[in-house]
Amino acid sequence: VQLQASGGGSVQSGGSMRLSCAVSQKSPVTHYAVGWFRQAPGKEREGVSAIMMSDGRTYYSDSVKGRFTISRDANKQTAYLQMDNLKPEDTGVYYCATGFLAAWKDYDPSHNSHFYWGQGTQVTVSS
């Protein structure tokens, strides 16, 4: 399984940004979710949002609900994270990943092996 992330960069507070995560594997991603974690400097990695490729069920962390929207193109096995009304506290390295949807909510750093990971992409929001 390979995950190719794109997007990221710098934006001012209140701005928007979109991340993409394309999953490459022989069989369709049907039983797993695709989404993002983020890690701010000096903080632990946290689950941000994820979506089931099969039926579109989603997860959002409380800190991003109402501001971030996750979507998918199942045919392309690609997930998209539209981030609106960005805040400085959204700054960090965003990692796309695939794993069980419930694992985003119950995430603990000891669970990293439960996911396949893509490369991190920096998101910087300035005040």
Side-chain angles (χ1 to χ4, degrees), residues 39-89:
Q39 188 162 16
K43 293 188 177 181
E44 290 188 343
R45 193 171 296 187
E46 62 172 347
V48 175
S49 183
I51 188 166
M52 285 292 292
M53 282 292 166
S54 58
D55 60 12
R57 282 179 291 143
T58 59
Y59 164 79
Y60 294 97
S61 68
D62 288 342
S63 61
V64 306
K65 279 181 183 176
R67 300 188 298 120
F68 291 11
T69 304
I70 194 166
S71 61
R72 83 216 194 270
D73 184 331
N75 290 330
K76 296 181 179 179
Q77 297 201 109
T78 300
Y80 306 94
L81 186 66
Q82 177 67 38
M83 304 184 292
D84 297 318
N85 191 20
L86 282 160
K87 303 176 180 180
E89 51 263 43

Side-chain angles (χ1 to χ4, degrees), residues 11 35 43 52 57 71-73 90 96 102 112 120-122 124:
V11 68
K43 293 188 177 181
M52 285 292 292
R57 282 179 291 143
S71 61
R72 83 216 194 270
D73 184 331
D90 294 316
C96 74
N112 282 350
T121 183
Q122 178 69 42
T124 302

Side-chain angles (χ1 to χ4, degrees), residues 21-34:
C21 179
V23 180
S24 298
Q25 68 171 32
K26 286 185 177 180
S27 57
V29 182
T30 55
H31 301 299
Y32 299 99
V34 179

